[in-house]
Amino acid sequence: MTAAVPVGRLVTTGTLLALWLGAAVLTAAVVAPAAFAVLPTRALAGALVGRVLPSVFVGGVFVGVAGAVLAAGAGGAFARARVVLPAACALLCALAQFGITPRIQTLRAQMGPDIEALPKDDPRRAEFGKLHGVSVLFMGAAGLAAGAALVLTAVAASRDA
């Protein structure tokens, strides 16, 4: 049987997860809506959010990997989930940043600065909408995985303290 994870590692894991989750929620709940509310065009708002998201996604990769590594080999409450959930966060963020984001950028370059000017039935516009939806889904799922990992880390810390 493996030993419980040291409380210091739990605190480090929890802190990393909480910081990333806070950044992701701030981006999704405050930055993106504010950009679309105050900037004069949707294209500018999209460009702003598009500049912020890579930091969130790459941060999620690092935090997820660090969280999984810190929890690996430890016992205690929810040991396997405390590895799998941060790893899932890292994978989802990596897929969004390195799989979806480049495809979105390529489409944006093809469509020009104003997506709204394209006809509603333009296949590029439909593809952009689909990719945007997948990106949002991945970020949401990564946030849920990080949040669940944070809760389990807190539970493990309270049991192992």
Side-chain angles (χ1 to χ4, degrees), residues 28-66:
V30 178
V31 174
F36 283 93
V38 303
L39 291 175
T41 67
R42 293 183 61 77
L44 282 174
L48 173 71
V49 174
R51 291 291 301 252
V52 173
L53 283 176
S55 298
V56 175
F57 287 138
V58 171
V61 172
F62 285 113
V63 165
V65 168

Coordinates of all heavy atoms in Angstrom, one line a residue, residues 28-66:
A28 N -13.2 33.3 -19.1 CA -14.5 32.9 -19.7 C -15.7 33.7 -19.2 O -16.6 34.1 -19.9 CB -14.8 31.4 -19.4
A29 N -15.6 34.1 -17.9 CA -16.8 34.8 -17.3 C -16.7 36.3 -17.3 O -17.7 37.0 -17.2 CB -17.0 34.3 -15.9
V30 N -15.5 36.8 -17.4 CA -15.3 38.3 -17.3 C -14.6 38.9 -18.6 O -15.2 39.8 -19.2 CB -14.5 38.7 -16.1 CG1 -14.2 40.2 -16.0 CG2 -15.1 38.2 -14.8
V31 N -13.5 38.4 -19.0 CA -12.7 39.0 -20.1 C -13.4 38.8 -21.4 O -13.6 39.8 -22.1 CB -11.3 38.3 -20.2 CG1 -10.6 38.8 -21.4 CG2 -10.5 38.7 -18.9
A32 N -13.9 37.6 -21.7 CA -14.5 37.4 -23.0 C -15.8 38.2 -23.1 O -16.0 39.0 -24.1 CB -14.8 35.9 -23.3
P33 N -16.7 38.1 -22.2 CA -18.0 38.9 -22.3 C -17.7 40.4 -22.3 O -18.4 41.1 -23.0 CB -18.8 38.5 -21.0 CG -18.3 37.2 -20.6 CD -16.8 37.2 -21.0
A34 N -16.7 40.9 -21.5 CA -16.4 42.3 -21.5 C -15.9 42.8 -22.8 O -16.2 43.8 -23.3 CB -15.4 42.6 -20.4
A35 N -15.0 42.0 -23.4 CA -14.5 42.3 -24.7 C -15.6 42.5 -25.8 O -15.6 43.4 -26.5 CB -13.4 41.3 -25.2
F36 N -16.5 41.5 -25.8 CA -17.6 41.6 -26.8 C -18.6 42.7 -26.4 O -19.2 43.2 -27.3 CB -18.3 40.2 -26.9 CG -17.5 39.2 -27.7 CD1 -16.6 38.4 -27.1 CD2 -17.6 39.2 -29.1 CE1 -15.8 37.5 -27.9 CE2 -16.8 38.4 -29.9 CZ -15.9 37.5 -29.2
A37 N -18.6 43.1 -25.2 CA -19.6 44.2 -24.8 C -19.0 45.6 -25.1 O -19.8 46.5 -25.4 CB -19.9 44.1 -23.3
V38 N -17.7 45.8 -25.0 CA -17.2 47.2 -25.0 C -16.4 47.5 -26.3 O -16.3 48.6 -26.6 CB -16.3 47.5 -23.8 CG1 -17.1 47.4 -22.5 CG2 -15.1 46.7 -23.7
L39 N -15.8 46.5 -26.9 CA -15.1 46.8 -28.1 C -16.0 47.0 -29.3 O -17.1 46.5 -29.4 CB -14.1 45.6 -28.4 CG -13.0 45.5 -27.4 CD1 -12.1 44.3 -27.7 CD2 -12.1 46.8 -27.4
P40 N -15.6 47.9 -30.2 CA -16.5 48.3 -31.3 C -16.9 47.2 -32.3 O -17.9 47.4 -32.9 CB -15.8 49.5 -32.0 CG -14.3 49.3 -31.6 CD -14.3 48.6 -30.3
T41 N -16.1 46.2 -32.4 CA -16.5 45.1 -33.4 C -16.2 43.8 -32.8 O -15.4 43.6 -31.9 CB -15.6 45.2 -34.7 OG1 -14.3 44.9 -34.4 CG2 -15.7 46.6 -35.3
R42 N -17.0 42.8 -33.2 CA -16.8 41.4 -32.8 C -15.4 40.9 -33.2 O -14.8 40.1 -32.5 CB -17.9 40.5 -33.3 CG -19.3 40.9 -32.8 CD -20.4 39.9 -33.2 NE -20.2 38.5 -32.9 CZ -20.4 38.0 -31.7 NH1 -20.8 38.8 -30.7 NH2 -20.2 36.7 -31.5
A43 N -14.9 41.4 -34.3 CA -13.6 41.0 -34.8 C -12.5 41.4 -33.8 O -11.6 40.6 -33.5 CB -13.3 41.5 -36.2
L44 N -12.6 42.6 -33.3 CA -11.6 43.1 -32.3 C -11.7 42.3 -31.0 O -10.7 41.9 -30.4 CB -11.8 44.6 -32.0 CG -11.2 45.5 -33.0 CD1 -11.6 47.0 -32.7 CD2 -9.7 45.4 -33.1
A45 N -13.0 42.1 -30.6 CA -13.2 41.3 -29.3 C -12.6 39.9 -29.5 O -12.0 39.4 -28.6 CB -14.7 41.3 -29.0
G46 N -12.9 39.3 -30.6 CA -12.4 37.9 -30.9 C -10.9 37.9 -30.9 O -10.2 37.0 -30.4
A47 N -10.3 39.0 -31.5 CA -8.8 39.0 -31.5 C -8.2 39.1 -30.1 O -7.2 38.5 -29.8 CB -8.4 40.2 -32.4
L48 N -8.9 39.9 -29.2 CA -8.4 40.1 -27.9 C -8.5 38.8 -27.1 O -7.6 38.3 -26.5 CB -9.3 41.1 -27.1 CG -9.0 41.2 -25.6 CD1 -7.6 41.9 -25.4 CD2 -10.0 42.0 -24.9
V49 N -9.7 38.1 -27.2 CA -9.9 36.9 -26.5 C -8.9 35.8 -27.1 O -8.3 35.0 -26.3 CB -11.3 36.4 -26.6 CG1 -11.5 35.0 -26.0 CG2 -12.2 37.4 -25.8
G50 N -8.7 35.8 -28.4 CA -7.8 34.9 -29.0 C -6.3 35.1 -28.6 O -5.5 34.2 -28.6
R51 N -6.0 36.3 -28.1 CA -4.7 36.5 -27.5 C -4.5 36.1 -26.1 O -3.4 35.7 -25.6 CB -4.3 38.0 -27.6 CG -4.1 38.6 -29.0 CD -2.8 38.0 -29.6 NE -1.6 38.3 -28.9 CZ -0.7 39.2 -29.3 NH1 -0.8 39.9 -30.4 NH2 0.3 39.4 -28.5
V52 N -5.6 36.0 -25.4 CA -5.6 35.6 -24.0 C -5.7 34.1 -23.8 O -5.0 33.5 -23.0 CB -6.8 36.3 -23.2 CG1 -6.9 35.7 -21.8 CG2 -6.7 37.8 -23.2
L53 N -6.5 33.4 -24.6 CA -6.7 32.0 -24.5 C -5.5 31.1 -24.5 O -5.4 30.2 -23.8 CB -7.7 31.5 -25.5 CG -9.2 31.9 -25.2 CD1 -10.1 31.4 -26.3 CD2 -9.6 31.2 -23.9
P54 N -4.5 31.4 -25.4 CA -3.3 30.5 -25.4 C -2.6 30.5 -24.0 O -2.1 29.4 -23.6 CB -2.4 31.2 -26.4 CG -3.3 31.8 -27.4 CD -4.4 32.3 -26.5
S55 N -2.6 31.6 -23.3 CA -2.0 31.6 -22.0 C -2.8 30.7 -21.0 O -2.2 30.0 -20.2 CB -2.0 33.0 -21.4 OG -1.2 33.9 -22.2
V56 N -4.1 30.7 -21.1 CA -4.9 29.9 -20.3 C -4.7 28.4 -20.7 O -4.5 27.6 -19.8 CB -6.4 30.3 -20.4 CG1 -7.3 29.3 -19.6 CG2 -6.6 31.7 -19.9
F57 N -4.7 28.1 -21.9 CA -4.6 26.7 -22.4 C -3.2 26.2 -22.0 O -3.1 25.1 -21.5 CB -4.9 26.6 -23.9 CG -6.3 26.7 -24.2 CD1 -6.7 27.4 -25.3 CD2 -7.3 26.1 -23.5 CE1 -8.0 27.5 -25.7 CE2 -8.6 26.1 -23.8 CZ -9.0 26.9 -24.9
V58 N -2.1 26.9 -22.3 CA -0.8 26.4 -22.0 C -0.6 26.3 -20.5 O 0.0 25.3 -20.0 CB 0.3 27.3 -22.7 CG1 1.7 27.0 -22.2 CG2 0.2 27.2 -24.2
G59 N -1.1 27.3 -19.8 CA -1.1 27.2 -18.3 C -1.8 25.9 -17.8 O -1.3 25.2 -16.9
G60 N -2.9 25.6 -18.5 CA -3.7 24.4 -18.1 C -2.9 23.1 -18.3 O -3.0 22.1 -17.6
V61 N -2.1 23.1 -19.4 CA -1.2 22.0 -19.7 C -0.2 21.8 -18.6 O 0.0 20.7 -18.0 CB -0.5 22.1 -21.1 CG1 0.5 21.0 -21.3 CG2 -1.6 22.1 -22.2
F62 N 0.5 22.9 -18.3 CA 1.5 22.8 -17.2 C 0.9 22.5 -15.9 O 1.5 21.6 -15.2 CB 2.3 24.1 -17.2 CG 3.3 24.3 -18.3 CD1 3.1 25.2 -19.3 CD2 4.4 23.4 -18.4 CE1 4.0 25.4 -20.3 CE2 5.3 23.5 -19.5 CZ 5.1 24.5 -20.4
V63 N -0.1 23.1 -15.5 CA -0.8 22.9 -14.2 C -1.3 21.4 -14.1 O -1.1 20.7 -13.1 CB -1.9 23.9 -13.9 CG1 -2.8 23.5 -12.7 CG2 -1.2 25.2 -13.6
G64 N -1.9 21.0 -15.2 CA -2.4 19.6 -15.2 C -1.3 18.6 -15.1 O -1.4 17.6 -14.3
V65 N -0.3 18.8 -15.8 CA 0.9 17.8 -15.7 C 1.5 17.9 -14.4 O 1.8 16.8 -13.7 CB 1.9 18.1 -16.8 CG1 3.2 17.3 -16.6 CG2 1.3 17.8 -18.2
A66 N 1.7 19.1 -13.8 CA 2.3 19.2 -12.5 C 1.4 18.6 -11.4 O 1.9 17.8 -10.6 CB 2.5 20.7 -12.2

